[in-house]
Amino acid sequence: MGPLRFGMSPAEVAQALLVPGPQERVGGPYAQEDFPDGVKAFYDAGKLACVALDAVTGPQVFLSGFPLAGSDPEQGQQFLLDHAAEHGNWVLYTPDDSLSLTDLGVLLRSQQVGAGHLTRPLFVKEEWLECEYFRDRLPLEGASG
């Protein structure tokens, strides 16, 4: 998988993910593309604005060695708080008790998996994290997150 950067076009996202295209496109006010392996991309005016990884099927990503996908939510939040204290990151809580390091563009949501919950990382462009509407509704696909 190649690097994903905010502002990429849908074709560039598919190329970075090494796939010919998304498995599914979802309509709505913001374009959503669902890719294999638990990756969802959200676009604003045709440019990548958010990437959401599934807690179980998504690729694993690490921040300073900590696995952001599929971890215990309490451990994930504590890690982000510790990271923020050590590195001077800006911390923001959302109404659903998710935690974001806004200067890094990382939003750590909780995803229900069976009877429990695991961490689900989202990578969000700064303008969306600063906007209460987007921040409190991400990922935009609704109840499945």
Side-chain angles (χ1 to χ4, degrees):
M1 182 167 79
L4 292 174
R5 294 178 311 282
F6 296 126
M8 287 179 129
S9 70
E12 290 170 323
V13 169
Q15 184 178 9
L17 294 176
L18 306 176
V19 295
Q23 289 179 318
E24 181 180 6
R25 287 188 172 92
V26 180
Y30 300 94
Q32 172 187 336
E33 292 184 332
D34 297 349
F35 289 92
D37 301 323
V39 176
K40 293 178 187 277
F42 299 88
Y43 301 89
D44 187 8
K47 300 295 182 185
L48 184 64
C50 174
V51 175
L53 305 181
D54 187 86
V56 177
T57 62
Q60 185 56 271
V61 291
F62 296 89
L63 178 60
S64 295
F66 183 84
L68 293 179
S71 292
D72 174 77
E74 287 184 26
Q75 290 178 350
Q77 284 202 355
Q78 188 59 55
F79 169 79
L80 290 186
L81 291 171
D82 293 344
H83 190 278
E86 183 178 341
H87 299 281
N89 302 116
W90 290 94
V91 175
L92 178 74
Y93 280 97
T94 61
D96 69 343
D97 291 327
S98 294
L99 185 64
S100 175
L101 300 183
T102 57
D103 51 333
L104 296 182
V106 175
L107 176 61
L108 202 59
R109 291 273 194 231
S110 177
Q111 177 180 329
Q112 185 166 353
V113 178
H117 286 83
L118 296 173
T119 54
R120 177 185 195 183
L122 283 77
F123 302 93
V124 187
K125 73 175 186 174
E126 186 177 2
E127 300 92 285
W128 277 21
L129 274 180
E130 290 176 351
C131 174
E132 184 178 338
Y133 174 84
F134 290 112
R135 187 178 60 236
D136 295 347
R137 289 167 176 80
L138 291 169
L140 298 170
E141 80 264 13
S144 66

